[in-house]
Amino acid sequence: MGEVNDHDAQMADPRMARHMEADMRRRFWWSLALTVPAVLYSPLGINLLRIQLPAPLPVNWMLFLFTTPVVFWTGSIFITGAYQSLRRRTLNMSVLISTGVLAAYVFSVVITLWGGGETFYEAAAMLVTFVLFGHWMEMRSRRGTSDALQALLSLVPPKARVVRNGTVVEVPTGEIQRGDIVELRPGDRVPVDGGVIEGETAIDESLVTGESIPVPKRTGDGVIGGTINHSGSIRFRATKVGEETALAQIVKLVEEAQASKAPGQRIADRWAQYLVILAVGAGILTFAIWYGLARETVLVALTFAISAVVIACPDALGLATPTAVAVGTGIGARHNILIKNAATLEQLSRITAVVFDKTGTLTEGKPGVTDAVGVGGTGSDDVIRLTAAAELRSGHPLSKAVLEEAQRRGLAVDQQIVGFENLAGLGVQATVGGRRILVGTAKLMRDRGIDLTAILPRLDRLLSEGKTLMIVAVDGKPAGVIAAADPVRATSRRAVEGLRRLEIEVAMITGDNRQTAEAVARQLGITRVFAEVLPQQKADYVRRLQEEGKFVAMVGDGVNDAPALAQADIGIAIGAGTDVAIETADVVLMRSDPADVLRAVFLSKATVRKMRQNLFWASIYNVLAIPVAAGVLYPRFGIMLRPEWSALLMSASSIIVATNAVLLKRAEGHLQHI
């Protein structure tokens, strides 16, 4: 795409994008203003348009005056780009554009100074103008996403109320430090990320997470910068400021994705270098054939040679994938799907298997206690009380469910706990009031030699209902069982069905027991289940699928999913998950919606389809156009493609490619119906 392609990183920056587009727009309009009279004074204007303008100077000198600023002022970016490219000993499209422009211009100057006759000034001016227009259109398509990012950043309020020395003062948001206490009143926008330390409210997080219902917030809950406080007044402690905030990270992810290159683009760049050599070679060979072998005049031979060089310009090839990537990542960001780089956007279309973590991904991740059964004289309240005490220091979702159930029942939980130990993936153990409490899976009980025969019928019944079980043992004997259910997310089944329609295998992985896992899998239509998997084993199961020849995506939300996310070909993190999972993943789903996995795959397939269409069009166009421009139709049909027409046709291919990429926005409507 000429020198402009060297500025992908700047185009990802919203302010730089606007500046570059304004500069390109200004260059184009000045170039057009000077090119129009150049065309009117040229043989093209006189012979084809039948326009005879008054000429105070000889026509060639008039053309010289109009064309020179176009070549060396508005078109200077191509000459500078070619110079920089040659200094680096590489060939890019600026080299080819400059070759075509300077060949037509220098030949015309020579004719003007030493002989008089027909010149190609208008071809040089038209080539610069058309290429500038193509780049302007491409920048406009990419700036749309940059503006969307800037609008996202503008959600942060310019000022905020901060508690300083016991007094609430208003300060610029940029001056908020980590650890500051910020006060929010109804209607305020949250200035930075933090954790609530006082008060209760509901916050509208739709602009960041896509969740339309305001989210209740109380002490200990997190708040996100840019969201809107609805009903109550709260105070929160700032934990992330400036570039650390969720909004800033979203913008950074999308900017990096747009600045990165997809594998297809790297291939296009390599072919563009070869095409530069081919174009220059075609021009030299064309001149040699027409002048040396066909005995045509220098003017005819040079006309064909310059036309071949001009039309071979692989500008469309350079636009083919960056425009599609820019539009695709922008659509994803608007739908809360953050794709970290262009390679990931392209590779999502190759997925043949998706592995979903169960808890917090396919399910809500907030289980509630449904049953509490005691055995051997232990009542259900005692089972809850003992389990709550043992789980007091655990942060597991099931622990929280038990503690909430104890609170709901009004049970006093013993705080005198010793010897607490978290048994990863199995359960917990602790000594409470002198009694050894063991809470966990059936596997844990078997490993510790605890006989479950007395409660097996109850276990089987609860497991058949798809519930997660916490077996409780006291002093080495079974005391009861607590069942909890984690509701399946409303969109999980739709996601699974959609992926299967795309012939993508769907698997579920969980640390839960097999019966519970299979009950959830039956609800969702998943046939392949990996159950009772320890956290450190999840990556092994992903590797197993890869060894079967599948291109695997892993979807998870927790710290224990990070190794599996890294092992997968594509790691997808649920946005409500941990920072570790989000950092490890290639794709982040801000809405915690499993259907967004399907949307991401659909978007990738649509983007790759546009890339392939653009690359095919750009390549086949050049293959067919170079011989025509070189004059293969001239001897039989008398068709001579002058350089100015070559410039027009070359530019048309670039505009078609850029327009085709922008049409990717039609896919946005389909995303909304998934």
Side-chain angles (χ1 to χ4, degrees):
M1 171 191 141
E3 192 207 17
V4 182
N5 242 3
D6 296 334
H7 297 301
D8 282 343
Q10 291 97 317
M11 277 302 295
D13 181 277
R15 286 170 295 187
M16 185 61 73
R18 283 196 300 275
H19 171 75
M20 290 178 65
E21 194 220 333
D23 178 63
M24 193 62 66
R25 181 177 65 243
R26 184 167 54 250
R27 287 175 183 271
F28 165 71
W29 285 116
W30 275 109
S31 185
L32 180 65
L34 293 165
T35 298
V36 169
V39 170
L40 295 178
Y41 276 109
S42 72
L44 178 66
I46 295 171
N47 299 329
L48 185 65
L49 302 177
R50 304 293 182 183
I51 295 175
Q52 193 73 41
L53 295 177
L57 295 172
V59 170
N60 281 349
W61 283 104
M62 295 290 294
L63 292 170
F64 172 82
L65 292 175
F66 286 118
T67 304
T68 300
V70 173
V71 173
F72 294 106
W73 175 38
T74 61
S76 62
I77 55 172
F78 305 120
I79 297 173
T80 303
Y83 172 72
Q84 296 295 340
S85 176
L86 293 174
R87 278 189 62 187
R88 294 192 299 265
R89 297 186 178 182
T90 60
L91 297 174
N92 64 8
M93 282 162 274
S94 284
V95 174
L96 197 51
I97 295 167
S98 300
T99 300
V101 170
L102 292 176
Y105 179 79
V106 171
F107 173 79
S108 300
V109 170
V110 171
I111 293 295
T112 301
L113 293 175
W114 281 288
E118 192 171 329
T119 60
F120 298 138
Y121 282 117
E122 76 282 6
M126 288 173 69
L127 178 56
V128 171
T129 302
F130 291 144
V131 173
L132 287 172
F133 181 72
H135 289 332
W136 177 30
M137 290 297 101
E138 187 256 351
M139 285 182 173
R140 281 192 64 180
S141 70
R142 300 183 69 180
R143 183 179 59 80
T145 300
S146 295
D147 284 350
L149 297 180
Q150 191 63 37
L152 201 58
L153 282 174
S154 69
L155 297 177
V156 176
K159 292 187 176 183
R161 282 180 287 273
V162 177
V163 179
R164 296 270 167 88
N165 300 319
T167 305
V168 177
V169 295
E170 196 171 76
V171 300
T173 297
E175 294 181 8
I176 298 176
Q177 303 293 316
R178 213 177 312 169
D180 278 349
I181 295 174
V182 183
E183 183 177 274
L184 277 186
R185 297 173 187 171
D188 287 351
R189 279 196 185 273
V190 181
V192 294
D193 296 0
V196 179
I197 60 172
E198 182 184 319
E200 292 187 9
T201 188
I203 290 184
D204 180 358
E205 297 183 344
S206 60
L207 291 171
V208 178
T209 66
E211 299 291 349
S212 58
I213 301 173
V215 181
K217 300 289 180 180
R218 54 180 62 88
T219 302
D221 291 337
V223 293
I224 305 171
T227 55
I228 303 172
N229 182 32
H230 262 223
S231 50
S233 294
I234 61 169
R235 288 186 176 183
F236 70 90
R237 192 179 306 279
T239 56
K240 293 181 180 179
V241 299
E243 294 184 355
E244 301 172 341
T245 64
L247 269 181
Q249 289 300 308
I250 291 170
V251 172
K252 182 181 177 183
L253 283 175
V254 180
E255 287 177 354
E256 288 176 352
Q258 293 193 314
S260 64
K261 288 189 176 182
Q265 175 60 21
R266 295 190 185 99
I267 296 171
D269 289 345
R270 190 160 59 247
W271 274 105
Q273 293 191 43
Y274 299 144
L275 205 53
V276 171
I277 298 171
L278 173 66
V280 174
I284 295 171
L285 183 63
T286 299
F287 181 84
I289 290 173
W290 284 108
Y291 184 68
L293 299 178
R295 303 294 182 183
E296 288 288 350
T297 64
V298 172
L299 181 64
V300 171
L302 201 60
T303 300
F304 285 130
I306 294 174
S307 294
V309 171
V310 168
I311 208 165
C313 178
D315 212 43
L317 196 63
L319 292 173
T321 61
T323 47
V325 167
V327 175
T329 52
I331 291 172
R334 283 195 293 277
H335 288 266
N336 306 99
I337 301 167
L338 304 184
I339 299 168
K340 290 189 177 180
N341 54 61
T344 298
L345 177 62
E346 187 170 332
Q347 290 173 345
L348 275 165
S349 66
R350 296 175 51 203
I351 290 172
T352 55
V354 175
V355 182
F356 284 98
D357 175 56
K358 179 179 79 70
T359 307
T361 303
L362 290 172
T363 64
E364 296 286 353
K366 297 177 181 178
V369 172
T370 58
D371 303 85
V373 181
V375 295
T378 306
S380 63
D381 281 358
D382 291 331
V383 172
I384 293 290
R385 184 186 297 109
L386 290 169
T387 305
E391 297 273 13
L392 198 59
R393 297 179 186 174
S394 172
H396 195 279
L398 289 175
S399 305
K400 293 179 181 178
V402 174
L403 290 167
E404 287 176 2
E405 180 66 14
Q407 186 178 18
R408 189 184 69 79
R409 295 189 181 200
L411 303 176
V413 178
D414 195 333
Q415 305 288 319
Q416 303 302 313
I417 304 160
V418 294
F420 172 81
E421 186 178 352
N422 189 7
L423 308 171
L426 296 172
V428 299
Q429 66 180 10
T431 299
V432 181
R435 306 170 76 183
R436 288 182 293 108
I437 311 297
L438 189 66
V439 181
T441 63
K443 183 179 186 302
L444 175 62
M445 299 300 158
R446 288 194 297 269
D447 290 347
R448 297 298 176 92
I450 295 172
D451 185 8
L452 299 178
T453 305
I455 60 171
L456 276 178
R458 292 186 176 90
L459 296 181
D460 291 340
R461 178 180 62 81
L462 293 170
L463 285 173
S464 68
E465 296 171 0
K467 295 173 181 176
T468 301
L469 305 187
M470 290 170 279
I471 303 171
V472 186
V474 179
D475 295 329
K477 296 181 180 179
V481 60
I482 296 174
D486 184 6
V488 170
R489 290 187 187 274
T491 57
S492 292
R493 185 172 182 84
R494 188 162 77 243
V496 172
E497 290 174 348
L499 290 168
R500 290 178 64 181
R501 279 197 299 272
L502 293 175
E503 299 183 352
I504 295 173
E505 181 179 359
V506 180
M508 185 180 76
I509 193 165
T510 179
D512 271 354
N513 64 76
R514 179 158 296 279
Q515 283 180 284
T516 301
E518 288 182 347
V520 173
R522 281 194 298 273
Q523 288 184 58
L524 299 176
I526 297 174
T527 55
R528 194 163 187 180
V529 180
F530 304 125
E532 299 178 8
V533 178
L534 296 176
Q536 61 269 28
Q537 295 176 331
K538 288 186 177 182
D540 296 334
Y541 282 90
V542 171
R543 191 179 298 111
R544 182 188 298 181
L545 287 170
Q546 291 171 322
E547 289 169 354
E548 294 175 9
K550 295 180 172 64
F551 195 81
V552 182
M554 170 70 194
V555 188
D557 73 325
V559 173
N560 58 16
D561 296 322
L565 291 171
Q567 173 63 40
D569 298 293
I570 301 288
I572 303 176
I574 290 290
T578 64
D579 290 342
V580 176
I582 292 171
E583 188 68 30
T584 310
D586 304 295
V587 180
V588 179
L589 309 179
M590 295 298 293
R591 288 189 293 202
S592 300
D593 182 353
D596 279 345
V597 176
L598 179 59
R599 293 184 182 99
V601 172
F602 176 85
L603 178 61
S604 173
K605 288 181 179 293
T607 304
V608 169
R609 192 159 52 245
K610 286 298 179 187
M611 287 182 187
R612 288 174 178 164
Q613 289 171 0
N614 286 351
L615 287 171
F616 173 80
W617 167 258
S619 301
I620 202 70
Y621 185 90
N622 282 100
V623 168
L624 297 176
I626 291 175
V628 174
V632 295
L633 301 178
Y634 181 64
R636 184 167 183 180
F637 301 103
I639 295 176
M640 175 185 284
L641 201 62
R642 284 179 56 86
E644 54 266 35
W645 292 112
S646 293
L648 178 61
L649 292 172
M650 181 279 301
S651 181
S653 73
S654 300
I655 293 168
I656 289 170
V657 163
T659 303
N660 189 44
V662 173
L663 290 177
L664 181 59
K665 290 183 178 179
R666 291 180 177 177
E668 201 159 2
H670 294 289
L671 290 186
Q672 294 169 346
H673 293 97
I674 288 178

